[in-house]
Amino acid sequence: MTSASAPAGAALPQERRLVTPIPGPKSQELMARKHDTVAQGVGTVMPVFAARAAGGVVEDVDGNRLIDFGAGIAVTSVGNSAEAVVRRASAQLADFTHTCMMVTPYEGYVEVCEQLAGLTPGDHAKKSALFNSGAEAVENAVKIARSYTGRQAVVVFDHGYHGRTNLTMALTAKDMPYKHGFGPFAPEIYRVPVAYPYRWLTGPENCAEEAAAQAVDLISKQVGAENVAAIVIEPILGEGGFIVPAPGFLPRIAQFAKDNGIVFVADEIQSGFCRTGHWFASEEEGVVPDLITTAKGIAGGLPLAAVTGRAEIMDAPHVGGLGGTYGGNPVACAAALGAIETMRELDLNAKARRIEEIMKTRLLALQEKHQAIGDVRGRGAMLAIELVRPGTKDPDPQLTAALAKACHAEGLLVLTTGTYGNVMRFLPPLVIGEDLLAEGLDILEGALSRNA
C-alpha cells in the first residue's frame, strides 16, 4: 500500500474478520438509539455502525472487519482516509473552515474548477460551479440549460435516477422509494426509452438503433425539439440497475441534441472519477457533453458536487443566479484536490480496469453455473448482476435481497439496486486489494450456491 492510499493514523488491517454475529451487540445498541431519534425514512443497508475504514475494509464498532464492495455508493473510490485527502483537508481545517465563496472567495474553489476543466471530456473552454450534492448539481444544470436556451422542457430516460429534490425526483424514473407519496413534482419533464440491452424486446443487436429512434420520435412529436432545454442522461444508469446503454445509443442522442440546439447533460455523479476505467464514462464512446454533473467520488468522502461545461453555456445565468452558502466548501475543495492527486498517483483508471477483469471473469463463470443470473454487465469497478427466475427474465427481488443478507452475514458489504429491485451492484474502492476482491467473490459464490 502506497502512502497515498494509506489511512490516517494506525493502518487498518486489510483483512476480513468476524468476531461477533452481524450485527454485534454495540451495533444493536446504537441501532436502538437510531430508532429513537433518527427519522425512520433514513434507512440503512447493513445494521452495523462504522468505527474505522480504509482501503477495501470497513471496521464496525464491535471490531468486525467487512470487505467493502460499496464504497459508500461509489464515493470513497480512493479509499477511506486516503493520505492526500486527509493531509489537504486537515491543513485547510487549520486555516479556515468557511467564508462562503459568494462573500470572500478562496483559491481552493478555483483550483478544483481548473482541475475539472482539464479532466472532463472535450478541449473547448470550460467553466464550473460547485455545490454540495449530486441532486444540487443536476438541478443547477437544468437551471443553466434553461437560462442558455430560453426553453423549458427537459428530457430524461426510463430507469434514470437523478436525485431526491423536487425537480430531481421528477427527473427520476423509479417511484419507490424515491418518489412515492412526495408529489406533485416539477412540470415540463418528459421521459423516453433507454437502450437497455438485456430487456430490449427485439434483442440487444437492435437495441441502440430502435431505442434512439423511439426517443427521437417521442421528443419530436410529443414535446417538440425546439422546446427542449436539456437532455439529461447517465452514461451508465445507476439506481436503475447499472444499465450500460447499447453501443451507439449515447452518440445518437448527443448528436440529436446538437442538431437541435439542446444542451446535452451527462449525469456522471456515480460513474465519474475513474469509476469505469476512464475519468468519465462518456469517454468510452467519445461523447463530449455540453454539461457534466459530478459528485460522489470527487472529494474522497466529503460533500462536494459540480456542474462543468462549455463556458458560453455556464456563463448564461446572471451574476448571483448560481451559488449557495456551503457550495464549494473550502475543506471539501481541499479534499477533492487530494482525491484527484491520489487518482493520478495510483493510476486508478488502470486499477478500475483491473477490477473489471478480475470481477467480470468470476461473475461470468457464476452465470454459467446459476441460471438465476440473467445478465452480467457494467464497466470498470461499476459492475452488476441481474437476478431472474430461472428460465425466464422475470425479476427476482426476493433472491436479490436474500443474497445481500447472506453476504452481509459473512462480512461482505454489497448493495442492491434496479428498477425492479433485482440487481446486485458492486462498487469496490479502487484501491481494494486483489485478495479482498477474490475473497468477496468467494462469499458471493457461496451465497448463490445456498440460495439460488
Side-chain angles (χ1 to χ4, degrees):
M1 180 180 293
T2 72
S3 62
S5 63
L12 181 63
Q14 294 296 292
E15 59 187 21
R16 181 176 66 107
R17 182 180 72 168
L18 297 182
V19 296
T20 74
I22 302 292
K26 292 182 180 179
S27 280
Q28 292 181 51
E29 180 184 344
L30 284 166
M31 189 60 72
R33 289 169 57 188
K34 173 185 180 291
H35 288 322
D36 288 342
T37 57
V38 179
Q40 69 172 356
V42 181
T44 56
V45 170
M46 285 190 73
V48 300
F49 280 73
R52 294 193 298 166
V57 169
V58 175
E59 184 175 274
D60 73 11
V61 291
D62 290 287
N64 298 300
R65 295 193 194 117
L66 316 173
I67 299 173
D68 185 6
F69 274 16
I73 317 183
V75 169
T76 56
S77 296
V78 297
N80 264 287
S81 307
E83 185 277 333
V85 173
V86 172
R87 168 171 42 83
R88 286 177 177 257
S90 297
Q92 183 58 56
L93 275 167
D95 288 340
F96 61 92
T97 59
H98 175 77
T99 63
C100 185
M101 182 64 179
M102 299 182 299
V103 177
T104 307
Y106 37 89
E107 186 178 4
Y109 190 116
V110 177
E111 285 186 284
V112 170
C113 293
E114 289 171 340
Q115 291 290 328
L116 288 166
L119 292 172
T120 50
D123 56 6
H124 50 277
K126 301 172 201 163
K127 292 188 177 182
S128 296
L130 305 184
F131 304 98
N132 302 293
S133 69
E136 275 189 75
V138 173
E139 191 142 336
N140 276 277
V142 170
K143 285 168 54 178
I144 293 163
R146 284 173 167 167
S147 180
Y148 177 72
T149 62
R151 306 171 182 178
Q152 295 185 350
V154 179
V155 171
V156 289
F157 293 80
D158 286 343
H159 307 287
Y161 174 84
H162 300 287
R164 295 176 183 260
T165 60
N166 186 264
L167 174 59
T168 56
M169 280 192 295
L171 301 176
T172 292
K174 190 175 181 180
D175 174 58
M176 193 69 174
Y178 305 117
K179 302 168 70 170
H180 189 75
F182 297 144
F185 302 115
E188 287 301 306
I189 308 299
Y190 301 89
R191 198 172 312 283
V192 298
V194 74
Y196 188 165
Y198 179 65
R199 294 195 172 274
W200 198 256
L201 290 177
T202 62
E205 67 278 4
N206 302 313
C207 185
E209 184 176 346
E210 291 180 1
Q214 289 182 25
V216 167
D217 185 64
L218 286 169
I219 296 168
S220 301
K221 290 181 178 177
Q222 297 188 20
V223 187
E226 68 277 10
N227 297 315
V228 179
I231 293 175
V232 184
I233 189 169
E234 302 160 273
I236 298 178
L237 285 73
E239 303 303 311
F242 279 29
I243 299 164
V244 182
F249 178 78
L250 285 174
R252 285 181 174 89
I253 298 299
Q255 187 62 49
F256 173 77
K258 182 178 181 180
D259 291 344
N260 289 276
I262 300 168
V263 177
F264 183 79
V265 182
D267 179 344
E268 294 256 19
I269 288 158
Q270 192 161 173
S271 60
F273 287 98
C274 306
R275 176 55 54 180
T276 66
H278 296 285
W279 282 100
F280 298 97
S282 303
E283 297 175 70
E284 177 74 13
E285 293 191 85
V287 173
V288 178
D290 297 312
L291 300 179
I292 186 167
T293 61
T294 53
K296 290 192 181 291
I298 192 174
L302 275 72
L304 187 69
V307 182
T308 302
R310 298 183 184 278
E312 66 274 17
I313 300 176
M314 291 297 300
D315 280 344
H318 52 274
V319 174
L322 302 177
T325 302
Y326 296 107
N329 169 270
V331 181
C333 286
L337 295 170
I340 293 168
E341 175 187 331
T342 304
M343 292 172 197
R344 285 197 172 103
E345 179 182 329
L346 300 183
D347 191 1
L348 293 190
N349 281 314
K351 188 60 189 291
R353 293 191 290 271
R354 175 61 179 160
I355 289 170
E356 177 182 356
E357 179 185 356
I358 293 169
M359 294 195 72
K360 195 172 271 189
T361 299
R362 286 285 301 274
L363 295 174
L364 288 169
L366 288 177
Q367 185 182 29
E368 290 292 320
K369 294 170 62 176
H370 298 280
Q371 291 186 351
I373 301 179
D375 195 26
V376 175
R377 57 178 178 256
R379 195 181 300 146
M382 188 176 181
L383 302 170
I385 55 175
E386 179 162 357
L387 295 157
V388 295
R389 294 181 175 85
T392 76
K393 288 190 177 183
D394 296 340
D396 196 341
Q398 292 79 22
L399 174 60
T400 309
L403 282 177
K405 185 175 181 180
C407 289
H408 295 166
E410 293 294 319
L412 174 64
L413 195 165
V414 294
L415 307 172
T416 61
T417 191
T419 299
Y420 311 108
N422 70 320
V423 175
M424 185 171 287
R425 57 176 162 174
F426 308 108
L427 290 161
L430 303 182
V431 297
I432 193 171
E434 293 186 9
D435 56 338
L436 290 177
L437 278 181
E439 187 176 1
L441 290 164
D442 289 342
I443 293 169
L444 174 65
E445 183 169 6
L448 273 164
S449 298
R450 293 189 299 272
N451 290 275

